[in-house]
Amino acid sequence: MLQNEKKQSFIALGQFLSQFSEEKNTRNESVLGNDLFFDDFIKLIELSQSHNGWYTPEQVYFAIKSWADALTEENIDKWLSGYSTEFSQDNKKEKTVALILAGNIPLVGFHDFLCVLITGNKALIKTSSNDQHLLPFLAKYLIFIDQSLKDKITFVEGKLENFDAVIATGSNNTARYFEYYFKDKPSIIRKNRNSVAVLNGQETKEDLEALGEDIFRYFGLGCRNVSKLFVPKDYKFDTFFEAIFKYQDVIHYEKYANNYDYNKAVFLMSNFKLLDNGFLTIKEDSSYASPISSVFYEFYENIEDLKNRLEAESEQIQCVVSNNLIKDSISFGKTQTPQLWDYADNVDTISFLLITSDKKL
């Protein structure tokens, strides 16, 4: 089957990535390519914050571990098993897929890159200026493992040309440009989305501590980060603030602290009522998109009404976190560890890549 041609390469990559952690980098002599790549990858991790101030070693190591955990034979087989009919069609024409990647969190575009290659297509990649080093390094490792990938991976800096389909990730503003520019190509165009948590006041301290992970991981820069809380009327935030106090060290990162000071000052000058614990402000607001170092909240009176609203506004939402209050919601603390089969914007990238018609998603 087609996916088996590239599956072993990504399993090998997962084994390579599994050697690296914030606590200790442990060299496994059975891993392929360590003589060429192990030390250089450590150096790249150490340099990442100089390339992008948000890419602290802690955040980069977290992203690496997440992909090491995902890229196992068991996970890849489970992921691709539902596409067996499509993959078995040997007459699929190889396509060149342009990838316009975001750079808000480390390796945020890796899933699209993986999908393109494991479906037997070519990746024409334009990285974000904020994340120009990690993915190219992993691409070099994959090419070392499988030389046939050399002709399937191309990074470009200028204009994208000679491609059959496109997957582009950006803001609502850039999405309008993408939709116009790529109107004649099959495409997935991703816009701004945010994630929310729905609380009912029965959450344990452990639940709320885990919610802190959903808020503060990657400094809140990801679309899977919780930026909005829905809480029952008269909800008291004391327990929430107590639970997230363990994340107080986030304020010691200069870029986060600068955002905290600036956004807090803007809110106060506008006479907004805030709750503040010294490293996070929370503000009652109907918007889903809160600025860095802030979380918005709204009160609700009826959970069914809230469910209907979230369904109606689903195109603005990436994830919903709760203790099973909302159908298909994610458990606290799990937003930044998606499985291979968890697709951005709920658009099945593998199906898009396997279809032959010019379908726009």
Side-chain angles (χ1 to χ4, degrees):
M1 295 173 67
L2 180 58
Q3 71 264 38
N4 288 331
E5 298 175 6
K6 305 304 173 191
K7 183 179 74 171
Q8 294 303 322
S9 301
F10 284 99
I11 293 171
L13 176 60
Q15 292 169 346
F16 174 76
L17 295 177
S18 69
Q19 301 172 108
F20 305 94
S21 71
E22 188 180 9
E23 292 74 29
K24 185 179 181 181
N25 297 311
T26 305
R27 189 172 183 135
N28 181 347
E29 295 303 329
S30 67
V31 171
L32 298 173
N34 269 342
D35 289 346
L36 294 173
F37 293 95
F38 185 87
D39 292 337
D40 285 349
F41 196 46
I42 293 173
K43 292 176 184 176
L44 178 57
I45 295 168
E46 293 171 348
L47 286 171
S48 289
Q49 194 168 359
S50 67
H51 300 145
N52 182 331
W54 294 109
Y55 285 18
T56 64
E58 176 188 357
Q59 307 302 344
V60 175
Y61 275 119
F62 183 89
I64 290 168
K65 184 180 186 304
S66 297
W67 280 112
D69 292 343
L71 294 174
T72 66
E73 185 168 16
E74 179 182 5
N75 282 337
I76 294 174
D77 284 344
K78 180 178 179 180
W79 174 37
L80 299 179
S81 62
Y83 305 97
S84 56
T85 301
E86 295 90 336
F87 270 111
S88 64
Q89 297 178 26
D90 296 327
N91 60 348
K92 291 290 183 182
K93 181 182 177 182
E94 180 184 74
K95 290 176 280 192
T96 297
V97 182
L99 298 178
I100 301 176
L101 306 183
N104 49 323
I105 66 175
L107 292 171
V108 67
F110 186 84
H111 193 265
D112 289 336
F113 172 77
L114 167 63
C115 289
V116 170
L117 294 180
I118 212 159
T119 51
N121 294 300
K122 293 183 177 181
L124 182 67
I125 307 158
K126 191 174 183 66
T127 60
S128 166
S129 59
N130 292 322
D131 191 2
Q132 294 183 316
H133 303 279
L134 290 168
L135 185 59
F137 185 96
L138 299 188
K140 288 180 182 178
Y141 182 84
L142 285 167
I143 292 169
F144 169 80
I145 296 298
D146 181 355
Q147 286 294 310
S148 71
L149 288 172
K150 185 175 182 179
D151 297 327
K152 292 182 178 291
I153 302 172
T154 304
F155 289 89
V156 297
E157 295 183 3
K159 185 178 180 181
L160 289 165
E161 296 179 321
N162 302 318
F163 56 91
D164 304 301
V166 61
I167 302 174
T169 303
S171 66
N172 290 344
N173 287 333
T174 58
R176 286 193 287 270
Y177 165 77
F178 292 152
E179 287 171 346
Y180 173 78
Y181 189 75
F182 302 121
K183 61 182 181 296
D184 297 324
K185 300 286 187 180
S187 62
I188 296 175
I189 307 295
R190 301 201 184 103
K191 306 176 183 179
N192 290 116
R193 291 205 182 204
N194 295 274
S195 297
V196 306
V198 179
L199 310 181
N200 65 0
Q202 302 303 310
E203 291 77 21
T204 65
K205 181 181 178 182
E206 290 72 24
D207 290 334
L208 297 176
E209 284 182 353
L211 175 58
E213 172 71 14
D214 299 323
I215 294 171
F216 294 106
R217 174 59 59 193
Y218 302 126
F219 302 106
L221 289 165
C223 63
R224 298 180 68 90
N225 284 106
V226 168
S227 58
K228 175 72 172 281
L229 306 176
F230 287 98
V231 297
K233 191 175 181 180
D234 299 325
Y235 181 85
K236 304 300 182 185
F237 285 95
D238 296 5
T239 304
F240 168 78
F241 275 127
E242 291 172 7
I244 67 168
F245 189 71
K246 64 180 289 186
Y247 300 94
Q248 62 178 312
D249 286 347
V250 71
I251 199 64
H252 298 311
Y253 291 100
E254 183 178 5
K255 290 178 72 68
Y256 182 92
N258 289 341
N259 276 269
Y260 169 80
D261 291 339
Y262 173 79
N263 291 317
K264 181 178 176 180
V266 170
F267 288 154
L268 292 175
M269 285 189 294
S270 301
N271 293 318
F272 290 128
K273 182 180 178 181
L274 297 177
L275 296 175
D276 176 27
N277 67 352
F279 60 92
L280 179 76
T281 59
I282 61 174
K283 171 180 174 288
E284 188 172 3
D285 197 298
S286 61
S287 174
Y288 287 108
S290 63
I292 297 169
S293 77
S294 181
V295 169
F296 291 159
Y297 70 91
E298 274 189 77
F299 294 110
Y300 68 89
E301 295 189 15
N302 184 293
I303 191 68
E304 294 303 321
D305 291 341
L306 177 58
K307 290 178 183 178
N308 292 335
R309 175 181 169 186
L310 294 177
E311 178 65 26
E313 298 177 351
S314 61
E315 290 192 359
Q316 300 180 57
I317 300 169
Q318 191 65 260
C319 305
V320 178
V321 180
S322 77
N323 270 341
N324 297 315
L325 297 175
I326 305 296
K327 182 182 178 182
D328 297 326
S329 60
I330 297 173
S331 300
F332 293 111
K334 300 298 184 182
T335 61
Q336 292 298 349
T337 54
Q339 300 291 339
L340 294 173
W341 46 88
D342 293 327
Y343 293 103
D345 300 1
N346 293 314
V347 175
D348 189 325
T349 315
I350 293 289
S351 292
F352 168 77
L353 293 166
L354 290 174
I355 60 177
T356 54
S357 61
D358 288 350
K359 184 177 180 182
K360 193 166 188 174
L361 298 184

